[in-house]
Amino acid sequence: MNSSGSKYREQIGAKLRSHRLKLFLSIDDIILMTEISKSSVLKVEKGIAKDIDLYIEYAKAVQYPLETLLDFRIPLKPLNELPKDRIESLKLTSKIREHIVNTNFLNKGKTVAEIKEELLRLKLVPKDITSVAIAGVMRNLKNDELVSSEETTGRKAIYISNLNQYKY
């Protein structure tokens, strides 16, 4: 993690320690309430513990709400921006989720070619969209368990919506 990450952990640890002291709790009290080892409690207070669960358990013990990172002025943006090709893939993913996965279209299962045909019919993608791009999105949706697939003859996957299992 970068140095700013450790800076934020240090700030969180200092807030938790300060909160503990305001409540007149000792380190031993924290250990009793959390079952966190003394060395880990000290690491949390110094902001050098890397396990988020330690901070959460400590915060629960001192009743400090970690609901927001705004207290610590952490900019809510990633270390690295997504490359342009991934942003384009996200746009395709959102169209496929909204118009293909979240509808009845995949109830009986469809191939990538049929999904592409439907996206073109709805005028949601350019005519030069590749089946490879659509197949990549469908594989990602399968990895996320939003769709499942069956292999058929010719090695073409038939994608079926898992919408009934998961509601988003």
Side-chain angles (χ1 to χ4, degrees):
M1 179 166 276
N2 66 4
S3 60
S4 68
S6 67
K7 176 182 82 171
Y8 299 128
R9 285 193 308 267
E10 288 171 13
Q11 291 175 0
I12 293 168
K15 282 239 189 206
L16 292 173
R17 180 179 186 276
S18 174
H19 216 72
R20 171 179 68 80
L21 294 173
K22 283 181 189 172
L23 296 173
F24 307 106
L25 295 170
S26 69
I27 289 175
D28 288 335
D29 293 329
I30 299 300
I31 294 166
L32 285 170
M33 290 190 290
T34 64
E35 299 182 6
I36 298 173
S37 70
K38 183 174 186 172
S39 64
S40 292
V41 169
L42 294 172
K43 285 180 182 179
V44 167
E45 289 189 353
K46 292 177 184 172
I48 57 175
K50 294 193 177 179
D51 184 345
I52 187 79
D53 291 340
L54 297 174
Y55 292 92
I56 291 170
E57 288 306 317
Y58 191 123
K60 287 168 35 181
V62 296
Q63 300 173 348
Y64 184 83
L66 284 177
E67 299 166 334
T68 177
L69 297 178
L70 297 177
D71 291 354
F72 306 100
R73 292 183 169 68
I74 297 174
L76 298 178
K77 57 186 251 186
L79 292 175
N80 303 303
E81 296 296 326
L82 284 175
K84 203 170 204 165
D85 65 323
R86 283 298 304 136
I87 292 171
E88 289 304 313
S89 180
L90 285 175
K91 290 177 185 175
L92 179 59
T93 299
S94 73
K95 290 174 183 174
I96 289 175
R97 285 222 16 215
E98 182 178 348
H99 299 282
I100 302 297
V101 176
N102 293 344
T103 66
N104 293 329
F105 184 73
L106 292 180
N107 283 357
K108 294 185 180 178
K110 302 287 188 213
T111 64
V112 167
E114 291 170 314
I115 294 168
K116 177 180 176 180
E117 187 178 299
E118 179 69 1
L119 290 168
L120 289 169
R121 186 188 71 74
L122 295 170
K123 297 181 177 163
L124 296 171
V125 295
K127 290 182 180 172
D128 63 349
I129 189 75
T130 65
S131 294
V132 171
I134 294 170
V137 169
M138 296 309 293
R139 275 191 306 277
N140 289 339
L141 293 173
K142 182 179 175 185
N143 289 340
D144 290 337
E145 300 178 345
L146 297 174
V147 299
S148 55
S149 70
E150 303 168 355
E151 294 294 325
T152 62
T153 54
R155 295 183 24 93
K156 290 184 180 178
I158 303 289
Y159 290 98
I160 300 165
S161 175
N162 289 342
L163 188 60
N164 295 335
Q165 291 178 335
Y166 304 99
K167 296 290 182 192
Y168 292 97

